[in-house]
Amino acid sequence: MLLASACSSGSGGAAAPSGAATHCVYPAGPYGTNEGDVVDPSLKWQGFVDDAGNPTTIAIRDYFDCDGSKGVHALVLDESATWCADCAKQSAMVAPLLSAKWKDEGVSLVVLMAQDQQGNAASLDTALSWRNEYALTTGAVCADPAWTMKVWGGASASGNGFPMDAVVDPRTMKIVRLQPNDLEGTVVNLALSNQ
């Protein structure tokens, strides 16, 4: 069982599938950041997919899979920071799950690196270093200097802690759970229900 824990900030799967089924239309808004809300389709980041050496644009729309034809059965968005010990612990536990289990179950992971070791905004180098350090060579690891998930789930204006996990249903792009106590169980249950 993978338990979610969080660091607090003192300041403030599978690769992205290509090609959408022609009949899939991204769900209409309003879009939000709480459980039950649809994720904003305009979200995108620069990062690394699988073990690629060159960065690319990763868009949330890439993971929308209304009928399962892309093989995406569950999506995990993980906001992390290099300085966060709980983030490192989670990435070390998730990496083997991705290659040994989650990939086959249709689980996609997008790690969003918000801050570097000094608490500064993350860069592509931060994302690449994190991906390499934790062998996150399945899924995507992105630079997220804007800290996309800072106030997801009704967190205070100063933001939520790290890691911040959102489990998203790729059929509807709705946030199923924020900060689940059992991340692995929540993800597997969603993936199995979508197969």
Side-chain angles (χ1 to χ4, degrees), residues 30-98:
Y31 305 112
T33 58
N34 293 299
E35 287 183 14
D37 291 344
V38 176
V39 178
D40 185 337
S42 69
L43 293 177
K44 55 180 80 171
W45 310 273
Q46 290 296 303
F48 301 89
V49 175
D50 295 335
D51 59 356
N54 294 317
T56 189
T57 300
I58 292 99
I60 197 72
R61 286 178 171 272
D62 295 337
Y63 297 92
F64 175 50
D65 189 3
C66 73
D67 60 4
S69 62
K70 294 181 188 178
V72 182
H73 302 306
L75 171 62
V76 179
L77 300 177
D78 165 22
E79 189 90 50
S80 289
T82 305
W83 56 262
C84 169
D86 286 335
C87 299
K89 183 178 176 183
Q90 179 169 294
S91 284
M93 289 190 300
V94 165
L97 279 174
L98 280 167

Side-chain angles (χ1 to χ4, degrees), residues 137-151:
T137 55
T138 300
V141 180
C142 308
D144 185 20
W147 191 354
T148 298
M149 294 169 62
K150 184 174 188 175
V151 294

